[in-house]
Amino acid sequence: MRKHIRCGKLFTGLSDKAEKDQTIVLKDERIEYVGPTADAPKAAAGDQTVDHSKHFVLPGLIDVHVHLAYGNAKTEEDIDIYAPVEYRALRGLEGAQRALKAGFTSICDPATSGLVSPSIRDAIEANMFVGPRISASGPQITNRQGLTDWYPTWIGVPSTAIGVLCKNAEEGIAEIRKEVKDGVDFIKIAMDGDAMNPSTTTVMAGYNQEEITAMTREAHRLGKKVVVHARGDEATLYSARAGVDVILHASFMTERTLEEVIKAGSMLCPSYLLVVNDIDFTRPGDGAYPGFPDAHKRELEAGSKIHNKAYKAGVKYLLGTDSGFAITPYGEWHAKELEIYVKHLGFSPADALKVATANNASFTRYGSQVGALEKGRLADVLVIDGDPLADITVLQDRSKIREIILNGDTVTLEINPKSHRLRSEFSYQMWNEIYDQKRIAELKRPGARAAAE
Ligand SMILES: [Zn+2]
């Protein structure tokens, strides 16, 4: 069956402009025609016609950095320990559905527990459930100075964690071979840690040059792309020299390292939603306050400058959000990353949209089958009431979404409003401070409580 859609404005993802008086025609799951309404094939008997002549039509959005196993985690322990892996798969499916309801028809997951995200991917592909198209890694490969090895050494990295401790290239290569056998779409390596250290520019790389080069070569030999987490300059430099495909964050890279990134052709994906939401939303009383937002202010300041330079130098960008934390819950803020690209990184709205559609598509397992409105591609379409080229924030307003089309079908899925989280999914912080006699005396002084709050 064909579906003829009259578009008020049409942004294909392949040019900077939105065109007026356009029509797209879908046949089953594919796009059959995109162009002026005057030249469009006429609707035949039995064809469906949809009037979006007052609306803005664009490709379904893509977020390449969503962690489906994290469950809107409040702590590192929540990410790795509390919910059983089997429960995380079911919970992650709902998280993916929430992203779809926000207009994101494809997502990529770099770092999961076990095979949680590849399994969600497969259940959706098998049409058991409605959800976005997913491309997924397995657990990230990490070392002592990287993510995930954040528990004391005597605890180690639990088997349910979103990473696997690989202490050298040999162990990393063995893990890569196992993950490729298990059907991952790409390999994720944590090249360094987080931004909590005040001297973040000196954050250590977890692997040396020879190790990341050897692991990247093996992943490429097995036909898989490599995505690294690298906030610091050292990790970014080694990753670029190793020829990795995507560098997440790269906030503290120097201009010398940027030159290596350009030479290698690696793509950059700053993923600043977590950084900006942490600055915007974290409050006194949150355990993260004020250390984490302060660290993220430093990161945003450094990152904005160098990413603006990289953007102007023509580096290819992807767009992702690090959704899956309590500060970046599923389905809520994905489109804010486009605003961040415009506001903090200096992108034009059209370029931010192209990154979130056509560029991102090139990284997914579907490649140029998705990400643009063009004859022959799969029909993933977003229709909104508003013009994101004039105001990029309109994409964040879910009440403005008029239609989401995935694989040619209108998404009618509803998230159960009674859906909620279980106490047992989260680590239980019982008290925020130690109530010794001195502290109680302080709290009892007149006006003390008010001053503390
Ligand atoms: Zn991440």
Side-chain angles (χ1 to χ4, degrees), residues 65 67 70 110-111 140 147 188 229 248-249 322 325:
H65 196 166
H67 294 291
Y70 288 19
Q140 61 193 348
L147 302 171
K188 165 78 180 291
H229 164 106
L248 302 175
H249 313 303
D322 236 334
F325 293 91

Side-chain angles (χ1 to χ4, degrees), residues 17-38:
K17 286 206 308 245
E19 304 288 346
K20 286 183 181 162
D21 301 318
Q22 302 285 299
T23 287
I24 56 176
V25 180
L26 314 181
K27 182 168 187 285
D28 303 322
E29 76 278 5
R30 299 253 168 210
I31 300 169
E32 197 179 57
Y33 173 83
V34 181
T37 301

Side-chain angles (χ1 to χ4, degrees), residues 357-374:
T357 52
N359 280 17
N360 271 1
S362 72
F363 177 71
T364 71
R365 69 197 254 117
Y366 299 92
S368 58
Q369 296 281 297
V370 297
L373 301 179
E374 185 183 40

